[in-house]
Amino acid sequence: MSANVVGLALLLLALMLFIGKIMRIRMKVTQKLFLPASIMGGFLALLLGPEVFGRIGGSIDGGVGNFIENGGAFGSDILAVWSTLPGLLISVVFATLFLGQKLPGPKSVYNLAGPQLAVGVAFASGQYVVGLLLAVAVLAPLFGMTPMAGALIEIGFEGGHGTAAGMIPVFDELGWSEGGDLAVAIATVGLVGGIVIGVGVINWAIRTGRTEVVTEVKDRSIAEQRGLFRKDEQYTAGTLTSRPSSIEPLSLHVAFVAVAILIGVILLEGIQWIEQMLWADTVELLAYVPLFPLAMIGGIILQLSLNKIGYGHLIDAGIMLRIQGLALDLLIVAALATISLEAIADNIWPFVLLCVAGIVLNVFLLLWMVPRTIPSFWLERGIGDFGQSMGVTATGLILMRIVDPEGKSPAFEAFGYKQLVFEPFFGGGLITAISVPLIFQFGPYPLLISMTVLFVASMAWGLLFWGKKKSDPHVDKLLEEKEQTSGGAAEPV
């Protein structure tokens, strides 16, 4: 495949994003649902691809009809490039998670993010429990599906499009390529459902007096609904950490991302080599682990190393977020554009059952466990975990900004601290990456038992320990600092 084809594929991805943004600006329904431009662009690319437009073009006789049937409006070569991009871009997304971030001490993380962590682990482990029970009791015996389907809720909902797309090569290697398509589709349902349900819960909570920051429902401005800034708003994309005369700051940050991913490659090659030397003849598990969770660990190692030698300030969190956002937008469009509608249609009832079960679990935990675990600002803090458990971290941040637009609660700090402990394991972390190979090698029951124990433990930790605390001095201290430094109004993290 020529470099020109790869370049054209990237240009077309950017074009789909641009059209998606125009749709967000012009279409009221996309504004009300806060749908990202990447989702709109991805759906458009899917419609123009072989699954929809290609089937229509297949009825045309001649060479043009064959071209359309094989690749839709884009051609098979473009789709071949797009199908490989998610597996590459997800490593960029995860490598940037902790680059430029302040890594606080264990005590600060535990005291402020403890309740948040209990809730987050309950969401993630509960999705495995529900999914695996559904796979064992219904999907396998009635629909003949592999027990690996039990991991799809956590991969699609908690992991989001990035993780779902990153797991496609794993499903292919294990002989169940439909799993990747179903995971991406579930991630789409989760992202849209997370925003729609989350906004609905926020409006209900405000009207019934369950919020502590925003106490009345206000219409969002036209600019906010369109996803734009007003002309009088000033936001910076990041801080320059090096002089452009020596190296463009964005180039430097891309280089840091590359180093983090390379560290991840070394780690992955290392653990796979150890497995081959020691126990690969008996059971092979690490051979199926994807790169992206190790890229995340590579980012942590790089940040800690730079902090140690006094150069940690060279990485700016704002610029890293922009790199992460670009990679995630392109990933979502490419993943949705290459999804197999046939695979979803062939497994429509298992797909529906998994989506409904995941949504019911998440709504139950948000409305029952969260207010009994987090003593103060339960909705402001819990809605972020709900959003993340339905889609991606960005979904949680969107919902938190709706219910706490000026950052007056400890929601953003607690959520960020919790991510430091949570992300390395769930939502695309090590447990997510290894769950499908575990089921493939040992069956569903070892993972089901361990996740059930973890689910019960996190529920007990949240309800019986954190839920018994009437107040949290660390939260009170943080609120006092917010009052002193911002006069009662802090900018969101």
Side-chain angles (χ1 to χ4, degrees):
M1 189 174 297
S2 68
N4 287 337
V5 172
V6 176
L8 179 59
L10 294 175
L11 290 176
L12 290 174
L13 272 186
L15 178 62
M16 292 299 103
L17 273 174
F18 178 67
I19 297 175
K21 183 59 183 178
I22 294 176
M23 295 170 70
R24 171 66 183 266
I25 293 174
R26 303 295 299 177
M27 297 172 62
K28 292 292 184 182
V29 64
T30 64
Q31 297 170 15
K32 296 296 184 183
L33 298 179
F34 290 91
L35 289 180
S38 57
I39 293 293
M40 303 305 300
F43 274 130
L44 177 62
L46 177 63
L47 293 175
L48 294 176
E51 294 288 327
V52 180
F53 185 62
R55 293 182 183 275
I56 299 174
S59 60
I60 302 175
D61 294 330
V64 175
N66 293 332
F67 174 83
I68 296 176
E69 184 177 11
N70 292 330
F74 306 108
S76 56
D77 289 343
I78 297 297
L79 291 174
V81 176
W82 285 359
S83 65
T84 60
L85 282 178
L88 300 174
L89 291 174
I90 185 58
S91 294
V92 176
V93 174
F94 274 76
T96 59
L97 283 176
F98 295 111
L99 287 174
Q101 300 293 330
K102 180 183 178 182
L103 302 177
K107 186 176 181 180
S108 299
V109 173
Y110 176 79
N111 288 314
L112 185 58
Q116 212 88 20
L117 185 60
V119 168
V121 173
F123 273 114
S125 58
Q127 289 178 10
Y128 277 118
V129 173
V130 170
L132 288 167
L133 286 176
L134 194 59
V136 171
V138 180
L139 303 184
L142 296 185
F143 299 98
M145 294 192 78
T146 169
M148 289 186 287
L152 288 178
I153 298 179
E154 200 274 346
I155 291 173
F157 275 13
E158 190 76 52
H161 285 91
T163 300
M167 292 296 291
I168 289 175
V170 178
F171 284 115
D172 290 340
E173 285 189 55
L174 298 179
W176 190 45
S177 58
E178 293 177 339
D181 294 311
L182 290 172
V184 173
I186 289 173
T188 303
V189 172
L191 191 149
V192 176
I195 294 176
V196 173
I197 296 172
V199 171
V201 169
I202 289 172
N203 287 327
W204 164 79
I206 292 174
R207 289 190 173 96
T208 55
R210 288 175 167 83
T211 55
E212 299 183 46
V213 178
V214 178
T215 56
E216 60 179 338
V217 179
K218 296 182 180 179
D219 293 332
R220 314 297 289 181
S221 68
I222 298 298
E224 286 178 288
Q225 293 181 35
R226 292 176 174 176
L228 301 171
F229 289 124
R230 299 189 309 270
K231 292 182 179 180
D232 60 335
E233 289 181 301
Q234 298 293 326
Y235 284 85
T236 58
T239 302
L240 302 186
T241 59
S242 66
R243 297 185 183 275
S245 58
S246 65
I247 184 173
E248 170 59 38
L250 179 60
S251 302
L252 178 63
H253 283 71
V254 170
F256 282 132
V257 173
V259 172
I261 295 175
L262 288 173
I263 294 173
V265 170
I266 294 172
L267 292 174
L268 182 60
E269 294 286 342
I271 62 174
Q272 289 178 343
W273 179 82
I274 292 173
E275 180 179 64
Q276 291 297 320
M277 293 297 101
L278 297 181
W279 62 77
D281 294 338
T282 305
V283 59
E284 197 170 18
L285 191 63
L286 299 177
Y288 303 111
V289 174
L291 172 61
F292 62 86
L294 281 303
M296 175 181 59
I297 295 176
I300 296 175
I301 293 174
L302 176 59
Q303 184 66 59
L304 291 175
S305 300
L306 290 173
N307 291 346
K308 189 72 174 178
I309 61 176
Y311 287 98
H313 65 282
L314 291 179
I315 304 181
D316 177 66
I319 295 181
M320 281 300 171
L321 282 175
R322 304 288 74 79
I323 296 173
Q324 180 188 115
L326 172 63
L328 189 57
D329 280 342
L330 295 175
L331 183 155
I332 291 174
V333 176
L336 287 178
T338 54
I339 196 174
S340 172
L341 295 179
E342 184 177 354
I344 298 173
D346 292 341
N347 299 277
I348 186 64
W349 287 114
F351 169 72
V352 170
L353 288 173
L354 288 168
C355 290
V356 171
I359 291 172
V360 170
L361 170 70
N362 289 343
V363 172
F364 167 75
L365 290 177
L366 173 63
L367 299 182
W368 187 83
M369 179 187 177
V370 172
R372 290 169 172 81
T373 299
I374 303 176
S376 59
F377 300 98
W378 72 267
L379 183 71
E380 289 82 356
R381 296 174 65 175
I383 199 69
D385 289 284
F386 171 79
Q388 182 185 28
S389 70
M390 289 289 292
V392 291
T393 302
T395 305
L397 294 175
I398 289 171
L399 294 175
M400 282 194 291
R401 285 194 173 100
I402 293 174
V403 76
D404 184 12
E406 296 181 342
K408 293 182 178 180
S409 77
F412 292 95
E413 289 83 359
F415 184 81
Y417 283 2
K418 168 223 135 187
Q419 295 295 89
L420 297 175
V421 182
F422 183 83
E423 284 286 356
F425 301 100
F426 290 103
L430 296 176
I431 292 178
T432 303
I434 209 170
S435 61
V436 175
L438 274 174
I439 298 172
F440 177 78
Q441 291 285 359
F442 302 106
Y445 293 104
L447 185 62
L448 174 59
I449 293 171
S450 60
M451 287 297 108
T452 301
V453 172
L454 188 59
F455 178 65
V456 173
S458 62
M459 291 276 285
W461 187 39
L463 297 171
L464 302 180
F465 181 74
W466 295 109
K468 297 298 182 181
K469 294 178 177 290
K470 299 301 181 183
S471 63
D472 189 340
H474 294 85
V475 171
D476 296 337
K477 181 180 178 181
L478 179 61
L479 293 176
E480 289 178 5
E481 292 175 352
K482 283 175 175 284
E483 292 287 343
Q484 293 172 0
T485 57
S486 61
E491 285 296 320
V493 174

